[in-house]
Amino acid sequence: MWTYSNPVDVIFGAGEVRKLADLIAGRRFALVTYPEPFFAELGQQLKASAGAPVLTINDVAPNPDYELLREQSARFADEGGEIGVVVALGGGSVIDSAKVFAAANGNFDNVARYLETKTGEEALAFLPIIAVPTTAGTGSEVTCWATVWNEAQGKKYSLAHPRLYPETALVDPELMLKKPTGLTMATGLDALSHSIESIWNVNANPVSARHAVAAAKLIIQALPKVMRDTGNLQLRSDMAEASLCAGLAFSNTKTAIAHNLSYPITLGWGVQHGIACSFTLPTVLRSVIGIGGFREAALQDIFGADLNAGADRLTKFLNDLGVGTRFADHEIPHQYCADIIDEAFAGERGKNFVGTKENFIEAAQQQDVISLSAA
Ligand code: NAD
């Protein structure tokens, strides 16, 4: 028995951002975006078609953190009137921030309590959200969770609630044409990780696996090309579609071990999220050879019947993009590796993983990916 569900209306296509005014449909709206001129210009275009937002939050920073979120959330309370819809125009940091604002509706303490104690759900608001992703990576436009960072405490939380699914995901690849190559790569690898992580996952089902296979194949084919041809609309469209499909896959499964390995690496060594959650993928792939069933079939659909050879190709794919697959490549000292691995397997995302810690360590040691003792 399995179930699959995703309630988000998806509109996809070049130039479709012009439909935003129709989707807002006269509601009082808050606009959430970044401070850069490109986004200010998009905000002006939106104002011309949909009227002025009653509130603009345009200082979203990468990796939404407690301190700024608290201050930004308070601006919703200062606004006073009822907000009919929150429009998120940006990547994962913007869409995740919008989810926090939608749940807080002026009072970040309610969100913090829910994150820290898993209580106080009744105090959360759920303002509707329209998500307009400008990166092709997080899939946040079709998930019901937001990553919330607390750098001061060295922690990462997941705000998750079924009422946080955006009402609409408006995906326009034209918005992605000016993404710099570093961001294109990191976000593309984030999407690759979502797709594969949704397969070696206890929550996987045949529908999530199909979305995942479609996403991974498209990314492996399109990402190296778009890195060389960043202004190519067809390739941008492929990456946007792949990221969306990966989102549809992991919206039903959550992520797994590669993501849980990544969080302390991002917090402790500043490794960008998309890189941190993808450099371990070949090792995790080797560790699940033999799991069988539709999961192994899906992995074989992506990587070929011989998954060891597939893991070699995945390593080369990452290396060719400049991403090393050993912990040392990311300057993680060997004495931290054992703790990172132990904690990753013990955590919630680690428990989503269908493989074992023993097999992961064996695969990692065989390939020189980790050294658990000083050389
Ligand atoms: P981001 O939103 O952090 O943006 C990074 C930078 O990219 C910003 O400074 C922005 O100015 C720039 N940028 C964005 N779009 C651009 C464009 N079209 N052209 C030029 N520059 C652009 O990047 P992200 O990778 O999309 O999001 C990362 C965040 O998402 C992290 O906090 C991560 O934890 C979170 N995340 C959430 C989910 C989820 O399901 N909710 C999944 C994965 C990651």
Side-chain angles (χ1 to χ4, degrees):
M1 199 291 274
W2 52 270
T3 62
Y4 178 92
S5 110
N6 191 298
V8 181
D9 285 340
V10 176
I11 299 174
F12 188 103
E16 291 300 304
V17 71
R18 286 187 278 277
K19 296 233 169 88
L20 194 44
D22 294 343
L23 295 172
I24 293 169
R27 289 175 285 182
R28 299 179 88 244
F29 71 100
L31 175 65
V32 183
T33 192
Y34 309 104
E36 283 94 342
F38 173 65
F39 297 95
E41 171 62 32
L42 287 173
Q44 284 306 321
Q45 288 168 14
L46 180 60
K47 189 173 164 189
S49 60
V54 291
L55 177 65
T56 301
I57 307 282
N58 63 0
D59 56 350
V60 170
N63 296 339
D65 192 77
Y66 256 52
E67 208 175 316
L68 182 57
L69 287 170
R70 182 183 299 282
E71 195 259 299
Q72 291 166 325
S73 297
R75 292 183 222 157
F76 278 72
D78 295 344
E79 202 288 317
E82 181 85 357
I83 285 176
V85 62
V86 181
V87 175
L89 180 64
S93 296
V94 163
I95 301 172
D96 286 7
S97 295
K99 288 175 182 171
V100 171
F101 305 146
N105 198 15
N107 189 344
F108 181 75
D109 284 343
N110 290 341
V111 171
R113 176 159 67 124
Y114 186 65
L115 290 175
E116 290 163 24
T117 66
K118 300 271 181 237
T119 64
E121 180 184 345
E122 66 288 348
L124 297 181
F126 295 103
L127 301 178
I129 299 166
I130 298 173
V132 187
T134 62
T135 61
T138 70
S140 185
E141 67 276 13
V142 287
T143 71
C144 68
W145 46 74
T147 307
V148 178
W149 302 81
N150 187 331
E151 216 178 318
Q153 289 176 11
K155 281 194 173 161
K156 168 255 160 203
Y157 294 96
S158 187
L159 174 65
H161 195 287
R163 291 181 64 193
L164 284 174
Y165 276 112
E167 63 176 28
T168 306
L170 179 55
V171 187
D172 184 342
E174 265 181 17
L175 299 176
M176 301 166 190
L177 286 170
K178 296 213 169 82
K179 273 200 316 174
T181 49
L183 182 67
T184 300
M185 179 177 75
T187 49
L189 291 179
D190 192 15
L192 180 66
S193 187
H194 293 152
S195 61
I196 303 175
E197 288 258 274
S198 72
I199 296 173
W200 50 53
N201 198 304
V202 293
N203 304 311
N205 64 61
V207 169
S208 66
R210 270 168 213 229
H211 283 306
V213 169
K217 284 183 168 175
L218 206 44
I219 293 164
I220 290 167
Q221 184 213 314
L223 182 55
K225 289 187 193 159
V226 78
M227 293 289 289
R228 294 189 294 271
D229 190 6
T230 53
N232 185 315
L233 183 59
Q234 182 57 53
L235 293 171
R236 289 293 187 190
S237 183
D238 288 348
M239 287 305 297
E241 186 182 317
S243 170
L244 177 74
C245 287
L248 291 171
F250 93 108
S251 68
N252 275 244
T253 64
K254 297 192 174 167
T255 52
I257 190 64
H259 271 74
N260 237 20
L261 287 163
S262 80
Y263 297 124
I265 293 171
T266 293
L267 280 165
W269 290 274
V271 180
Q272 217 175 343
H273 176 69
I275 312 282
C277 67
S278 58
F279 83 89
T280 55
L281 292 175
T283 310
V284 183
L285 177 58
R286 285 182 213 283
S287 81
V288 295
I289 293 174
I291 52 168
F294 74 91
R295 293 181 179 83
E296 188 152 19
L299 293 170
Q300 287 173 325
D301 198 347
I302 302 166
F303 297 109
D306 179 349
L307 286 179
N308 257 316
D312 290 343
R313 281 196 296 280
L314 182 55
T315 301
K316 182 168 180 327
F317 171 84
L318 291 166
N319 290 166
D320 288 350
L321 289 169
V323 177
T325 54
R326 294 171 307 166
F327 280 58
D329 296 330
H330 304 279
E331 288 171 25
I332 302 153
H334 71 88
Q335 65 268 29
Y336 292 95
C337 291
D339 282 351
I340 291 172
I341 293 167
D342 282 348
E343 280 166 31
F345 273 87
E348 190 202 329
R349 300 289 192 269
K351 290 184 184 141
N352 284 347
F353 178 51
V354 292
T356 67
K357 184 167 83 174
E358 292 67 33
N359 286 358
F360 175 79
I361 290 176
E362 193 185 326
Q365 287 183 318
Q366 270 171 9
Q367 299 292 318
D368 240 358
V369 164
I370 50 166
S371 145
L372 294 179
S373 58

